Short mmCIF file of all heavy atoms in Angstrom, two decimals:
data_model
loop_
_atom_site.label_atom_id
_atom_site.label_comp_id
_atom_site.label_asym_id
_atom_site.label_seq_id
_atom_site.Cartn_x
_atom_site.Cartn_y
_atom_site.Cartn_z
N VAL A 8 126.11 61.90 85.66
CA VAL A 8 124.94 61.01 85.70
C VAL A 8 123.83 61.63 84.85
O VAL A 8 123.37 61.03 83.89
CB VAL A 8 124.45 60.80 87.15
CG1 VAL A 8 123.16 59.98 87.14
CG2 VAL A 8 125.52 60.09 87.95
N CYS A 9 123.40 62.84 85.21
CA CYS A 9 122.33 63.50 84.48
C CYS A 9 122.94 64.52 83.52
O CYS A 9 123.42 65.56 83.94
CB CYS A 9 121.39 64.20 85.46
SG CYS A 9 120.02 65.05 84.66
N SER A 10 122.91 64.19 82.23
CA SER A 10 123.53 65.08 81.26
C SER A 10 122.62 66.26 80.92
O SER A 10 123.10 67.31 80.50
CB SER A 10 123.92 64.32 80.00
OG SER A 10 122.88 63.48 79.58
N CYS A 11 121.33 66.14 81.12
CA CYS A 11 120.42 67.25 80.84
C CYS A 11 120.75 68.45 81.74
O CYS A 11 120.72 69.59 81.30
CB CYS A 11 118.97 66.84 81.08
SG CYS A 11 118.32 65.70 79.85
N PHE A 12 121.03 68.19 83.00
CA PHE A 12 121.26 69.27 83.95
C PHE A 12 122.68 69.28 84.49
O PHE A 12 122.98 70.01 85.44
CB PHE A 12 120.26 69.19 85.10
CG PHE A 12 118.85 69.39 84.66
CD1 PHE A 12 117.97 68.33 84.59
CD2 PHE A 12 118.40 70.65 84.28
CE1 PHE A 12 116.67 68.51 84.16
CE2 PHE A 12 117.10 70.84 83.84
CZ PHE A 12 116.24 69.77 83.78
N ASN A 13 123.57 68.44 83.89
CA ASN A 13 124.95 68.44 84.32
C ASN A 13 125.12 68.13 85.80
O ASN A 13 125.86 68.79 86.52
CB ASN A 13 125.59 69.81 84.00
CG ASN A 13 126.83 69.64 83.15
OD1 ASN A 13 127.57 68.66 83.32
ND2 ASN A 13 127.06 70.58 82.27
N VAL A 14 124.39 67.16 86.26
CA VAL A 14 124.46 66.76 87.67
C VAL A 14 125.28 65.47 87.76
O VAL A 14 124.96 64.49 87.09
CB VAL A 14 123.06 66.54 88.26
CG1 VAL A 14 123.16 66.10 89.72
CG2 VAL A 14 122.25 67.83 88.15
N GLY A 15 126.32 65.51 88.57
CA GLY A 15 127.21 64.37 88.69
C GLY A 15 126.93 63.54 89.94
O GLY A 15 126.11 63.90 90.78
N VAL A 16 127.66 62.43 90.05
CA VAL A 16 127.44 61.51 91.15
C VAL A 16 127.73 62.17 92.50
O VAL A 16 127.06 61.89 93.50
CB VAL A 16 128.28 60.23 90.96
CG1 VAL A 16 129.77 60.54 90.94
CG2 VAL A 16 127.96 59.20 92.03
N ASN A 17 128.71 63.07 92.55
CA ASN A 17 129.04 63.71 93.82
C ASN A 17 127.90 64.57 94.34
O ASN A 17 127.60 64.59 95.54
CB ASN A 17 130.31 64.56 93.67
CG ASN A 17 131.55 63.70 93.50
OD1 ASN A 17 131.53 62.51 93.84
ND2 ASN A 17 132.60 64.28 92.96
N GLN A 18 127.25 65.28 93.43
CA GLN A 18 126.12 66.12 93.84
C GLN A 18 124.95 65.27 94.33
O GLN A 18 124.28 65.60 95.31
CB GLN A 18 125.66 66.98 92.67
CG GLN A 18 126.56 68.17 92.39
CD GLN A 18 126.29 68.72 91.00
OE1 GLN A 18 126.78 68.19 90.02
NE2 GLN A 18 125.50 69.75 90.94
N ILE A 19 124.72 64.17 93.63
CA ILE A 19 123.62 63.30 94.04
C ILE A 19 123.94 62.64 95.38
O ILE A 19 123.08 62.57 96.27
CB ILE A 19 123.34 62.25 92.94
CG1 ILE A 19 122.84 62.95 91.68
CG2 ILE A 19 122.33 61.21 93.43
CD1 ILE A 19 122.75 62.06 90.46
N THR A 20 125.18 62.19 95.54
CA THR A 20 125.59 61.60 96.81
C THR A 20 125.40 62.59 97.96
O THR A 20 124.89 62.22 99.03
CB THR A 20 127.06 61.16 96.74
OG1 THR A 20 127.21 60.24 95.67
CG2 THR A 20 127.50 60.50 98.03
N ALA A 21 125.77 63.84 97.72
CA ALA A 21 125.62 64.85 98.76
C ALA A 21 124.15 65.09 99.08
O ALA A 21 123.78 65.26 100.25
CB ALA A 21 126.29 66.15 98.31
N ALA A 22 123.31 65.08 98.06
CA ALA A 22 121.88 65.30 98.28
C ALA A 22 121.27 64.14 99.05
O ALA A 22 120.41 64.33 99.92
CB ALA A 22 121.17 65.49 96.94
N VAL A 23 121.72 62.92 98.75
CA VAL A 23 121.23 61.76 99.50
C VAL A 23 121.63 61.89 100.97
O VAL A 23 120.82 61.67 101.88
CB VAL A 23 121.78 60.44 98.90
CG1 VAL A 23 121.41 59.24 99.79
CG2 VAL A 23 121.24 60.23 97.49
N ALA A 24 122.88 62.30 101.21
CA ALA A 24 123.36 62.48 102.58
C ALA A 24 122.56 63.56 103.30
O ALA A 24 122.39 63.52 104.51
CB ALA A 24 124.85 62.83 102.55
N ALA A 25 122.05 64.52 102.52
CA ALA A 25 121.28 65.61 103.11
C ALA A 25 119.81 65.24 103.29
O ALA A 25 119.02 66.06 103.74
CB ALA A 25 121.41 66.86 102.24
N GLY A 26 119.44 64.02 102.90
CA GLY A 26 118.09 63.56 103.19
C GLY A 26 117.21 63.29 101.98
O GLY A 26 116.05 62.94 102.14
N CYS A 27 117.73 63.45 100.77
CA CYS A 27 116.95 63.14 99.57
C CYS A 27 117.06 61.65 99.28
O CYS A 27 118.05 61.21 98.70
CB CYS A 27 117.44 63.95 98.37
SG CYS A 27 117.28 65.72 98.60
N THR A 28 116.07 60.88 99.69
CA THR A 28 116.17 59.43 99.57
C THR A 28 115.22 58.86 98.52
O THR A 28 114.91 57.68 98.56
CB THR A 28 115.92 58.77 100.93
OG1 THR A 28 114.68 59.25 101.44
CG2 THR A 28 117.03 59.09 101.91
N SER A 29 114.75 59.69 97.60
CA SER A 29 113.98 59.16 96.48
C SER A 29 114.37 59.92 95.22
O SER A 29 114.93 61.02 95.29
CB SER A 29 112.48 59.32 96.74
OG SER A 29 112.11 60.69 96.65
N VAL A 30 114.07 59.31 94.07
CA VAL A 30 114.41 59.96 92.80
C VAL A 30 113.65 61.29 92.70
O VAL A 30 114.19 62.28 92.21
CB VAL A 30 114.06 59.04 91.62
CG1 VAL A 30 114.30 59.75 90.28
CG2 VAL A 30 114.89 57.76 91.67
N ASP A 31 112.43 61.33 93.18
CA ASP A 31 111.65 62.57 93.13
C ASP A 31 112.26 63.65 94.01
O ASP A 31 112.26 64.83 93.66
CB ASP A 31 110.20 62.30 93.55
CG ASP A 31 109.44 61.53 92.48
OD1 ASP A 31 109.87 61.57 91.31
OD2 ASP A 31 108.43 60.91 92.81
N ALA A 32 112.77 63.26 95.18
CA ALA A 32 113.40 64.24 96.07
C ALA A 32 114.67 64.79 95.44
O ALA A 32 114.96 65.99 95.54
CB ALA A 32 113.70 63.60 97.42
N ILE A 33 115.42 63.93 94.78
CA ILE A 33 116.62 64.39 94.07
C ILE A 33 116.21 65.36 92.97
O ILE A 33 116.82 66.41 92.78
CB ILE A 33 117.39 63.19 93.48
CG1 ILE A 33 117.94 62.28 94.58
CG2 ILE A 33 118.51 63.68 92.56
CD1 ILE A 33 119.06 62.87 95.38
N GLY A 34 115.16 65.02 92.25
CA GLY A 34 114.70 65.89 91.19
C GLY A 34 114.26 67.25 91.71
O GLY A 34 114.53 68.28 91.09
N ALA A 35 113.61 67.26 92.87
CA ALA A 35 113.16 68.52 93.45
C ALA A 35 114.34 69.38 93.88
O ALA A 35 114.28 70.60 93.84
CB ALA A 35 112.25 68.23 94.64
N THR A 36 115.42 68.73 94.30
CA THR A 36 116.57 69.45 94.82
C THR A 36 117.56 69.84 93.72
O THR A 36 118.02 70.98 93.67
CB THR A 36 117.30 68.57 95.86
OG1 THR A 36 116.37 68.20 96.87
CG2 THR A 36 118.46 69.34 96.49
N LEU A 37 117.87 68.90 92.84
CA LEU A 37 118.93 69.12 91.84
C LEU A 37 118.39 69.23 90.42
O LEU A 37 119.15 69.50 89.50
CB LEU A 37 119.93 67.95 91.89
CG LEU A 37 120.67 67.73 93.22
CD1 LEU A 37 121.52 66.47 93.13
CD2 LEU A 37 121.55 68.91 93.54
N LYS A 38 117.12 68.96 90.22
CA LYS A 38 116.49 68.87 88.89
C LYS A 38 116.88 67.60 88.15
O LYS A 38 116.31 67.30 87.11
CB LYS A 38 116.82 70.09 88.00
CG LYS A 38 116.18 71.38 88.44
CD LYS A 38 116.14 72.33 87.23
CE LYS A 38 115.43 73.63 87.54
NZ LYS A 38 116.35 74.57 88.20
N ALA A 39 117.88 66.87 88.65
CA ALA A 39 118.31 65.65 87.96
C ALA A 39 117.15 64.67 87.82
O ALA A 39 116.43 64.42 88.78
CB ALA A 39 119.45 64.99 88.74
N GLY A 40 116.97 64.16 86.62
CA GLY A 40 115.93 63.18 86.38
C GLY A 40 114.58 63.77 86.02
O GLY A 40 113.61 63.02 85.81
N THR A 41 114.50 65.09 85.94
CA THR A 41 113.19 65.70 85.70
C THR A 41 112.99 66.13 84.25
O THR A 41 111.96 66.68 83.92
CB THR A 41 112.98 66.93 86.61
OG1 THR A 41 114.01 67.89 86.34
CG2 THR A 41 113.03 66.54 88.08
N ASN A 42 113.98 65.88 83.39
CA ASN A 42 113.78 66.25 81.98
C ASN A 42 113.52 65.02 81.12
O ASN A 42 112.37 64.62 80.95
CB ASN A 42 114.98 67.04 81.48
CG ASN A 42 114.72 67.66 80.12
OD1 ASN A 42 113.63 68.16 79.86
ND2 ASN A 42 115.70 67.59 79.25
N CYS A 43 114.56 64.37 80.61
CA CYS A 43 114.34 63.24 79.71
C CYS A 43 114.06 61.96 80.49
O CYS A 43 113.44 61.04 79.99
CB CYS A 43 115.53 63.04 78.78
SG CYS A 43 116.99 62.34 79.58
N GLY A 44 114.56 61.89 81.73
CA GLY A 44 114.28 60.73 82.56
C GLY A 44 115.22 59.55 82.36
O GLY A 44 115.12 58.56 83.07
N SER A 45 116.15 59.65 81.43
CA SER A 45 117.01 58.50 81.14
C SER A 45 118.00 58.23 82.26
O SER A 45 118.59 57.15 82.32
CB SER A 45 117.76 58.72 79.82
OG SER A 45 118.78 59.67 79.98
N CYS A 46 118.21 59.18 83.15
CA CYS A 46 119.17 59.00 84.23
C CYS A 46 118.51 58.50 85.50
O CYS A 46 119.18 58.27 86.50
CB CYS A 46 119.88 60.31 84.50
SG CYS A 46 118.73 61.63 84.97
N ARG A 47 117.21 58.35 85.49
CA ARG A 47 116.49 58.06 86.73
C ARG A 47 116.92 56.73 87.35
O ARG A 47 117.02 56.62 88.58
CB ARG A 47 114.98 58.09 86.49
CG ARG A 47 114.46 59.49 86.29
CD ARG A 47 112.97 59.50 85.98
NE ARG A 47 112.16 59.14 87.12
CZ ARG A 47 111.66 60.02 88.00
NH1 ARG A 47 111.88 61.29 87.85
NH2 ARG A 47 110.93 59.61 89.00
N SER A 48 117.18 55.70 86.53
CA SER A 48 117.59 54.42 87.10
C SER A 48 118.97 54.53 87.72
O SER A 48 119.25 53.91 88.74
CB SER A 48 117.55 53.33 86.02
OG SER A 48 118.46 53.62 84.99
N GLU A 49 119.84 55.35 87.11
CA GLU A 49 121.17 55.57 87.69
C GLU A 49 121.06 56.31 89.02
O GLU A 49 121.75 55.99 89.99
CB GLU A 49 122.02 56.39 86.72
CG GLU A 49 122.98 55.56 85.90
CD GLU A 49 123.93 56.47 85.13
OE1 GLU A 49 123.52 56.99 84.08
OE2 GLU A 49 125.05 56.66 85.60
N ILE A 50 120.19 57.31 89.06
CA ILE A 50 119.99 58.05 90.31
C ILE A 50 119.47 57.11 91.39
O ILE A 50 119.94 57.13 92.53
CB ILE A 50 118.99 59.20 90.08
CG1 ILE A 50 119.60 60.24 89.13
CG2 ILE A 50 118.60 59.85 91.41
CD1 ILE A 50 118.60 61.29 88.68
N ARG A 51 118.55 56.25 91.01
CA ARG A 51 118.00 55.30 91.97
C ARG A 51 119.10 54.40 92.54
O ARG A 51 119.13 54.13 93.75
CB ARG A 51 116.91 54.45 91.30
CG ARG A 51 116.01 53.72 92.29
CD ARG A 51 114.86 52.99 91.60
NE ARG A 51 114.01 53.90 90.84
CZ ARG A 51 113.80 53.85 89.52
NH1 ARG A 51 114.37 52.92 88.80
NH2 ARG A 51 113.02 54.72 88.93
N ALA A 52 120.01 53.96 91.69
CA ALA A 52 121.10 53.09 92.14
C ALA A 52 122.03 53.85 93.10
O ALA A 52 122.49 53.28 94.10
CB ALA A 52 121.88 52.57 90.94
N ILE A 53 122.28 55.11 92.81
CA ILE A 53 123.14 55.92 93.69
C ILE A 53 122.48 56.11 95.04
O ILE A 53 123.12 56.00 96.09
CB ILE A 53 123.45 57.28 93.03
CG1 ILE A 53 124.30 57.06 91.77
CG2 ILE A 53 124.18 58.20 94.01
CD1 ILE A 53 124.39 58.30 90.89
N ILE A 54 121.18 56.37 95.03
CA ILE A 54 120.44 56.52 96.29
C ILE A 54 120.53 55.23 97.10
O ILE A 54 120.84 55.25 98.29
CB ILE A 54 118.97 56.86 96.02
CG1 ILE A 54 118.85 58.25 95.40
CG2 ILE A 54 118.15 56.78 97.32
CD1 ILE A 54 117.46 58.54 94.85
N ALA A 55 120.29 54.10 96.44
CA ALA A 55 120.31 52.81 97.14
C ALA A 55 121.68 52.56 97.77
O ALA A 55 121.77 52.13 98.92
CB ALA A 55 119.95 51.69 96.16
N ALA A 56 122.74 52.84 97.02
CA ALA A 56 124.09 52.58 97.51
C ALA A 56 124.42 53.47 98.71
O ALA A 56 125.01 53.01 99.69
CB ALA A 56 125.10 52.80 96.39
N ASN A 57 124.01 54.72 98.64
CA ASN A 57 124.41 55.67 99.69
C ASN A 57 123.47 55.66 100.88
O ASN A 57 123.88 55.98 101.99
CB ASN A 57 124.50 57.07 99.09
CG ASN A 57 125.71 57.20 98.18
OD1 ASN A 57 126.82 57.35 98.66
ND2 ASN A 57 125.49 57.08 96.89
N ARG A 58 122.22 55.30 100.65
CA ARG A 58 121.29 55.24 101.76
C ARG A 58 121.71 54.15 102.75
O ARG A 58 121.60 54.31 103.94
CB ARG A 58 119.87 54.96 101.24
CG ARG A 58 118.80 55.24 102.26
CD ARG A 58 117.43 55.17 101.63
NE ARG A 58 117.32 54.01 100.74
CZ ARG A 58 116.30 53.83 99.90
NH1 ARG A 58 115.34 54.70 99.83
NH2 ARG A 58 116.24 52.77 99.14
N VAL A 59 122.21 53.03 102.21
CA VAL A 59 122.67 51.93 103.07
C VAL A 59 123.81 52.41 103.96
O VAL A 59 123.80 52.21 105.16
CB VAL A 59 123.09 50.72 102.22
CG1 VAL A 59 123.77 49.67 103.09
CG2 VAL A 59 121.88 50.12 101.54
N GLN A 60 124.79 53.10 103.34
CA GLN A 60 125.92 53.60 104.11
C GLN A 60 125.47 54.59 105.17
O GLN A 60 125.93 54.55 106.30
CB GLN A 60 126.92 54.28 103.18
CG GLN A 60 127.73 53.30 102.34
CD GLN A 60 128.72 54.01 101.45
OE1 GLN A 60 128.68 55.22 101.32
NE2 GLN A 60 129.61 53.25 100.84
N ALA A 61 124.54 55.47 104.80
CA ALA A 61 124.11 56.51 105.72
C ALA A 61 123.41 55.92 106.93
O ALA A 61 123.47 56.48 108.02
CB ALA A 61 123.18 57.49 104.99
N ALA A 62 122.74 54.77 106.73
CA ALA A 62 121.96 54.19 107.82
C ALA A 62 122.85 53.45 108.81
O ALA A 62 122.42 53.14 109.91
CB ALA A 62 120.89 53.24 107.25
N GLU A 63 124.07 53.13 108.40
CA GLU A 63 124.92 52.33 109.28
C GLU A 63 125.83 53.16 110.16
O GLU A 63 126.12 54.28 109.85
CB GLU A 63 125.77 51.39 108.42
CG GLU A 63 124.92 50.24 107.88
CD GLU A 63 125.70 49.41 106.87
OE1 GLU A 63 126.78 49.80 106.42
OE2 GLU A 63 125.16 48.35 106.52
S1 LIG B 30 119.87 62.91 81.73
FE1 LIG B 30 118.83 63.38 83.58
S2 LIG B 30 116.90 64.17 82.95
FE2 LIG B 30 117.96 63.80 81.10
#
């Protein structure tokens, strides 16, 4: 997902499960989305998809 920091969907999914439910929280934890920013919309989509599952 994030090529700047080599962060993949599995790492982001795990971070969402651990409580990172915003793009900024993911950035604080994994650095993903904090450099060029081009992956931020993808990160947001992953958060949205996994947050729903986590809440159910
Ligand atoms: S690809 Fe994620 S910050 Fe650049």
Side-chain angles (χ1 to χ4, degrees):
V8 175
C9 180
S10 46
C11 289
F12 296 107
N13 235 325
V14 179
V16 62
N17 290 341
Q18 283 163 279
I19 294 170
T20 302
V23 173
C27 298
T28 53
S29 71
V30 176
D31 287 339
I33 295 290
T36 304
L37 299 175
K38 290 201 177 83
T41 60
N42 190 41
C43 74
S45 73
C46 59
R47 288 177 70 91
S48 62
E49 260 189 280
I50 294 171
R51 196 175 301 119
I53 294 167
I54 293 169
N57 288 281
R58 195 171 44 191
V59 171
Q60 286 181 350
E63 285 172 349

